[in-house]
Amino acid sequence: MITVEISDKQNLSKIITIFKNLNKITEHVNINFTKNYMYIQGKCSINICIVELNLLNTWFDKYEIDEDSTVGVNCEVLFKVISCISDNQTLVISNDNGDTIDIEFKGQNTIEKKFELQMVELEEELLDIPYKEHEVDIKISSATFSDLINQIKMFGEELTISCTDENVNLKTTSISGTSNIILNEDNLIEYGIEEDLKLVSKFGINYLHVISTFSKLSSETNVHISKDFPLEVRNTIEGSWMDDSDNEDNEDSNDFNDKNMIRFFLAPKIDD
């Protein structure tokens, strides 16, 4: 038996944002409910982008799980249903071990709405993604990160990221010309790089743009880069009940399932 509720307006907005944009990466996902957290892992159809979402049971207004359970959902359908919620309503998601997911919107002096969604059977096994210390660590305002990716997307399909002790260079090239965006420590919240390292990596802009659409979930975005490894982007999912110490504890822990967080892994482009 699963029963989870979200009534906080800010957290409801974040759930809507998550499923609105998750569909741009993967059509279906398994939502894994354990007694301590809700966990989702999905990947794109060409296996270059992976997304992981973890929300602790304390993030929800109500979280009751009799035993660990997995429910498969269509991301687009779930977004359409959740977006039907009205102001001052609580979102209730439940499953009584059957083959449907029950979604209810309820609230005082509001129109009650109920939906029943057929579960999707997915055979995919979860990937075990180990913690990695990266060569370059960047913390940037989420609004700035989103704005820069939106601008870069207009000028090319491939982004070259060059990192040195002095700055981070974002370069795109197209038939129309070349654009360069140079970031230094004054433009970033934090910047760390291995001593004397000069790192150059290339990534597809389309998936970076999708990743940037999740920036509304937090005020800061963490970007981690290592040569010949996937780019890692992390967003701590802030809630109205969280304070700065909660965010710091989430980010510093190496165990992803200790966090309220969404993170992405994007494979680098390899030169022929």
Side-chain angles (χ1 to χ4, degrees):
M1 180 72 178
I2 299 170
T3 304
V4 298
E5 294 185 6
I6 306 172
S7 56
D8 180 83
K9 186 175 181 179
Q10 183 176 339
N11 289 355
L12 282 169
S13 176
K14 292 182 187 299
I15 284 291
I16 292 172
T17 295
I18 288 168
F19 282 99
K20 175 182 179 180
N21 296 302
L22 201 58
N23 183 57
K24 300 171 186 175
I25 297 175
T26 180
E27 183 179 2
H28 303 98
V29 293
N30 279 327
I31 304 178
N32 301 281
F33 292 94
T34 75
K35 292 187 177 181
N36 295 323
Y37 55 81
M38 184 191 85
Y39 173 79
I40 292 174
Q41 183 185 98
K43 59 183 178 179
C44 70
S45 59
I46 55 176
N47 297 325
I48 65 168
C49 184
I50 295 173
V51 57
E52 285 188 300
L53 169 71
N54 196 79
L55 293 173
L56 300 176
N57 55 10
T58 52
W59 191 85
F60 299 86
D61 293 281
K62 180 179 180 180
Y63 190 93
E64 296 180 352
I65 309 296
D66 290 342
E67 60 181 4
D68 291 359
S69 303
T70 299
V71 297
V73 299
N74 179 294
C75 296
E76 182 177 10
V77 173
L78 185 56
F79 161 65
K80 288 179 178 179
V81 170
I82 294 176
S83 63
C84 292
I85 196 167
S86 302
D87 290 341
N88 302 317
Q89 284 193 316
T90 294
L91 165 64
V92 182
I93 301 175
S94 60
N95 171 262
D96 60 359
N97 299 320
D99 57 1
T100 61
I101 305 166
D102 298 315
I103 298 177
E104 180 182 359
F105 305 136
K106 61 182 183 179
Q108 189 173 2
N109 299 322
T110 66
I111 299 174
E112 187 174 350
K113 304 171 188 176
K114 295 183 178 181
F115 301 85
E116 188 176 279
L117 303 184
Q118 196 69 31
M119 287 173 52
V120 179
E121 289 191 19
L122 300 174
E123 301 296 331
E124 294 183 357
E125 294 184 4
L126 293 177
L127 299 174
D128 182 17
I129 303 176
Y131 174 79
K132 176 175 174 55
E133 291 280 353
H134 286 276
E135 297 170 341
V136 175
D137 300 302
I138 300 167
K139 181 177 287 188
I140 186 172
S141 157
S142 292
T144 300
F145 177 73
S146 179
D147 287 345
L148 291 176
I149 298 300
N150 282 330
Q151 294 166 17
I152 289 168
K153 188 175 184 292
M154 295 188 293
F155 296 101
E157 297 181 354
E158 182 176 281
L159 172 65
T160 300
I161 304 177
S162 303
C163 302
T164 66
D165 290 336
E166 291 78 25
N167 56 52
V168 178
N169 182 271
L170 309 178
K171 181 180 179 180
T172 54
T173 302
S174 68
I175 58 174
S176 302
T178 299
S179 67
N180 282 286
I181 297 174
I182 301 171
L183 302 171
N184 56 44
E185 290 186 355
D186 293 335
N187 311 126
L188 305 170
I189 299 171
E190 292 179 10
Y191 180 53
I193 184 171
E194 291 186 1
E195 189 174 0
D196 298 326
L197 177 68
K198 294 182 179 180
L199 183 147
V200 179
S201 293
K202 296 180 181 180
F203 301 94
I205 290 177
N206 286 338
Y207 275 107
L208 271 175
H209 180 256
V210 172
I211 291 170
S212 74
T213 61
F214 291 83
S215 62
K216 293 180 180 179
L217 299 175
S218 61
S219 57
E220 299 173 351
T221 295
N222 294 272
V223 182
H224 307 278
I225 315 169
S226 293
K227 185 174 178 58
D228 297 330
F229 275 86
L231 175 85
E232 182 177 353
V233 179
R234 302 179 188 174
N235 289 100
T236 297
I237 301 179
E238 300 160 352
S240 60
W241 51 268
M242 294 178 68
D243 58 26
D244 290 340
S245 62
D246 291 319
N247 293 336
E248 290 172 3
D249 291 342
N250 278 353
E251 176 60 23
D252 291 340
S253 172
N254 292 341
D255 188 346
F256 183 70
N257 294 127
D258 287 342
K259 304 173 173 66
N260 294 301
M261 181 175 285
I262 191 166
R263 67 177 176 179
F264 308 86
F265 298 90
L266 180 61
K269 284 185 169 289
I270 306 299
D271 291 330
D272 295 332

